[in-house]
Amino acid sequence: MVKTIAEVSLPVMEKLKIRKNRLTGGREKEKKRISIVTGVHGDELEGQYVCFEVSRRIQEHPEYLAGIVDIYPAVNPLGIDSITRGIPAFDLDMNRVFPGNRNGSMTEYVAARLMEDLSGSDLCIDIHASNIFLTEIPQVRINELHRDRLVPMAEGLNVDLIWIHGNSTVLESTLAYSLNSTGTPTLVVEMGVGMRITKAYCDQLTDGIFYVMKNMGMWSGPAKEVRKPLIAAGADPVSFLNAPVSGVFLSQAKHGDSLRKGDPVGLIVDPLEGTIRERLKAPADGILFTIREYPVVNEGSLIARILKKEADERA
């Protein structure tokens, strides 16, 4: 059942509508609820396929569902329509206005209504992608304040990495922070690249969602076994590699590679003179989980992130 949860009048007789699709099955008193949210940033499209695939699989076998699955594919529809990260015309990042205000501006009102509608979910999954410059392996990012509650949930999502962030680095105005702070467990998923759909990553996460649903007693159908993720924790778990010079980046490594300090990561070349300006090497032993996607780089551009071997709590 498709329902409009927020509606705001726009110029020229148009309306902004935030909609969800509710899929439900089983007896009312026993229903748990999982909410899948994406499209907070209009240039992050990986979640669009996940929403489609979750809905498709459930509608193919509705008899397996014993709970409520709420799907919110486009909570920033203006951004998606215009292929912009924020809300066009307002030049505003929607993930910086939560928990919102029912009596505030248009964006604050929409944020408040979304918070109200999501509150009380047994689990909320907030799906993001990277920007157009970087590709991320499927990962869940968690505020250390909520690690005890969220890590066991995240381990079932079939991601490659769980990255636990220090509280000082987490913005309080995000959807996930606001929901977690008010008692609704929320996992932030980052994967893929901006403005694209990486089907393999989306299928991987979708399998994880059904595995979690099965463990919650919401899904009686088949669910694939999930991989055990790396866990990035500690005071300084990640090593960053930035471009020391400008030029065109040519990758020599790929996602998931296990690197030793000094292993080649890529080249920065000068197309005009036909020269190699810099040979980039891994700054530490570990797993490569972020790699530059957009090849043109300036001095200081982020090239890669490596989970340090000693920071993986599985080791």
Side-chain angles (χ1 to χ4, degrees):
M1 177 181 67
V2 175
K3 178 183 177 182
T4 298
I5 64 166
E7 182 174 320
V8 181
S9 295
L10 296 173
V12 200
M13 305 297 290
E14 293 182 324
K15 290 185 182 294
L16 168 68
K17 294 183 179 182
I18 311 299
R19 300 188 297 172
K20 72 174 181 182
N21 186 14
R22 169 162 288 189
L23 305 170
T24 182
R27 289 177 291 182
E28 190 68 34
K29 292 183 179 179
E30 299 176 357
K31 288 180 181 177
K32 290 187 176 181
R33 176 162 64 112
I34 186 170
S35 296
I36 301 170
V37 181
T38 191
V40 173
H41 294 131
D43 60 350
E44 298 178 358
L45 305 177
E46 304 282 8
Q48 301 296 304
Y49 181 85
V50 175
C51 288
F52 158 75
E53 185 63 10
V54 169
S55 180
R56 184 194 68 80
R57 293 188 193 184
I58 292 174
Q59 291 183 78
E60 193 173 70
H61 291 286
E63 70 276 11
Y64 292 151
L65 182 62
I68 298 170
V69 179
D70 281 339
I71 298 175
Y72 305 73
V75 296
N76 176 11
L78 296 180
I80 291 175
D81 288 347
S82 58
I83 324 176
T84 54
R85 179 176 177 82
I87 300 174
F90 292 85
D91 193 25
L92 180 66
D93 186 335
M94 187 175 182
N95 214 24
R96 300 295 182 270
V97 296
F98 290 98
N101 181 350
R102 260 187 172 261
N103 299 313
S105 65
M106 180 192 81
T107 53
E108 290 175 313
Y109 169 75
V110 169
R113 287 292 298 116
L114 186 60
M115 280 287 297
E116 291 170 9
D117 207 67
L118 288 167
S119 293
S121 299
D122 293 282
L123 175 62
C124 177
I125 302 172
D126 180 18
I127 303 174
H128 292 260
S130 186
N131 52 38
I132 64 170
F133 301 103
L134 301 167
T135 300
E136 303 276 5
I137 63 174
Q139 60 196 265
V140 174
R141 298 184 181 178
I142 292 174
N143 184 340
E144 64 180 359
L145 290 177
H146 307 291
R147 65 177 294 171
D148 292 343
R149 185 182 191 187
L150 296 183
V151 168
M153 296 180 174
E155 287 178 323
L157 270 185
N158 203 31
V159 295
D160 296 294
L161 171 69
I162 298 173
W163 188 357
I164 301 170
H165 285 269
N167 188 46
S168 61
T169 67
V170 177
L171 294 172
E172 297 183 4
S173 54
T174 63
L175 174 63
Y177 184 96
S178 298
L179 286 170
N180 279 314
S181 297
T182 54
T184 298
T186 303
L187 299 174
V188 176
V189 175
E190 297 268 357
M191 64 179 184
V193 63
M195 298 190 186
R196 298 290 184 273
I197 288 176
T198 312
K199 186 176 182 297
Y201 288 169
C202 295
D203 286 333
Q204 178 181 331
L205 177 62
T206 302
D207 289 341
I209 291 172
F210 279 91
Y211 180 87
V212 169
M213 287 169 56
K214 194 173 185 71
N215 284 349
M216 292 172 65
M218 296 177 58
W219 182 252
S220 60
K224 295 180 180 179
E225 286 298 314
V226 297
R227 63 196 69 196
K228 187 174 182 180
L230 303 167
I231 298 180
D236 186 25
V238 174
S239 183
F240 296 81
L241 178 61
N242 295 87
V245 295
S246 300
V248 174
F249 172 68
L250 304 177
S251 177
Q252 294 177 302
K254 63 182 184 298
H255 277 160
D257 280 355
S258 181
L259 301 176
R260 299 296 298 269
K261 184 176 181 179
D263 283 350
V265 174
L267 306 173
I268 297 179
V269 302
D270 185 334
L272 177 62
E273 297 185 0
T275 58
I276 296 174
R277 301 202 65 197
E278 194 71 32
R279 298 179 186 272
L280 301 175
K281 300 182 183 300
D285 295 354
I287 304 297
L288 181 69
F289 71 91
T290 302
I291 190 69
R292 184 79 179 186
E293 176 77 15
Y294 190 76
V296 178
V297 299
N298 295 314
E299 182 178 345
S301 295
L302 180 61
I303 298 294
R305 295 189 187 102
I306 295 172
L307 170 62
K308 297 177 183 177
K309 185 176 180 180
E310 65 270 19
D312 177 12
E313 290 193 346
R314 299 189 319 170

